[in-house]
Amino acid sequence: MTSYQTQRAHVHDALLPVHRRHSALRTCIAFFAPYGFRATYHHLTLSAAIPRRLEADPDAMVRAVEELHEARVLWLARAEEYAARRRAEKRAGLRAVPDPRPWWLRSRWEGPHRVWRQDPFRHPSLRLPDYVRRQNALLDGVRLSGCPACGHEGARVLSSTGHGWVELCGGCAWVLAPCPCGQPHLFVPEIPVSWKHIWQRAHMSDDGSPKPHRPGG
């Protein structure tokens, strides 16, 4: 199986066809996707200004993979520290997993970030390293203002479950207060999500600017 670092090197390789470099970027995201695969890819198209036509700015893929890499380095350091501590705890007979779990071990569908997997346009606008730093700070017990994910301090958004309400962050749709029933619910996006259109960057123009009239732009 290919490695993350090998694929990162492919993204940087200007001698490769742009679509091969783009495929390598996708593989890197498959290794590490803080917002979930689709939402992380969508975020990088905006933050790195990846154009609709890759040939117009191949360096955009390098910007994208380096933002991802910076965040991954921060995560790896914390994950290795956590793994070492858990090994020591197990040797001491403490086998129960601490609650809450570290942010990278949250359930994909039951965690407070689950909306991003159902609606990839609702992820935070933070750069990925800034999001990882914020999550690591929360893990350390630091009290941060605003939404735990993005810091948004505006009004919350109510989403109906049919028998109750879920309170979402108005900035990134992080679940701030779950349904009173205690069960996770499917979130129905306001804008129908097409992965094909996200993958083809239909929301981006050839100059790397988002198209405000297109979903996700």
Side-chain angles (χ1 to χ4, degrees):
M1 181 178 178
T2 187
S3 71
Y4 167 86
Q5 291 292 7
T6 296
Q7 295 303 315
R8 177 182 170 224
H10 288 336
V11 177
H12 279 263
D13 190 347
L15 297 179
L16 290 176
V18 289
H19 291 286
R20 175 65 186 87
R21 297 170 69 185
H22 184 245
S23 177
L25 172 63
R26 173 176 180 163
T27 303
C28 288
I29 298 173
F31 275 104
F32 180 63
Y35 297 158
F37 182 84
R38 295 191 300 167
T40 297
Y41 177 78
H42 176 259
H43 163 79
L44 289 173
T45 65
L46 298 175
S47 66
I50 302 177
R52 175 72 176 84
R53 190 171 60 84
L54 295 173
E55 294 83 354
D57 184 9
D59 288 342
M61 291 179 287
V62 175
R63 295 193 295 271
V65 81
E66 286 309 297
E67 178 181 339
L68 183 72
H69 180 65
E70 183 182 348
R72 185 174 181 268
V73 168
L74 294 171
W75 162 70
L76 278 177
R78 178 49 61 92
E80 290 170 0
E81 175 187 310
Y82 174 78
R85 187 172 72 249
R86 285 295 297 141
R87 287 193 294 269
E89 290 172 346
K90 289 178 180 179
R91 286 195 297 269
L94 303 175
R95 305 194 67 83
V97 178
D99 188 31
R101 289 172 176 265
W103 59 270
W104 61 88
L105 295 179
R106 295 184 187 121
S107 167
R108 293 184 176 185
W109 299 109
E110 296 182 2
H113 58 320
R114 60 181 175 271
V115 172
W116 307 341
R117 299 184 181 276
Q118 299 160 21
D119 187 348
F121 301 151
R122 299 296 297 275
H123 57 78
S125 59
L126 295 177
R127 293 183 72 252
L128 298 178
D130 293 334
Y131 171 76
V132 171
R133 290 189 186 97
R134 189 173 182 86
Q135 295 307 298
N136 286 343
L138 292 170
L139 188 60
D140 290 334
V142 177
R143 296 181 63 86
L144 301 177
S145 61
C147 168
C150 70
H152 179 74
E153 297 182 352
R156 299 183 176 192
V157 175
L158 294 178
S159 177
S160 175
T161 63
H163 59 269
W165 296 91
V166 175
E167 294 185 15
L168 305 176
C169 169
C172 71
W174 178 276
V175 178
L176 297 172
C179 181
C181 74
Q183 299 297 317
H185 294 278
L186 181 67
F187 178 81
V188 180
E190 296 179 3
I191 302 174
V193 176
S194 169
W195 167 236
K196 178 180 178 180
H197 288 166
I198 296 175
W199 178 242
Q200 294 177 342
R201 300 167 307 288
H203 56 286
M204 302 296 290
S205 62
D206 283 347
D207 64 3
S209 61
K211 297 178 181 179
H213 61 282
R214 292 297 299 265

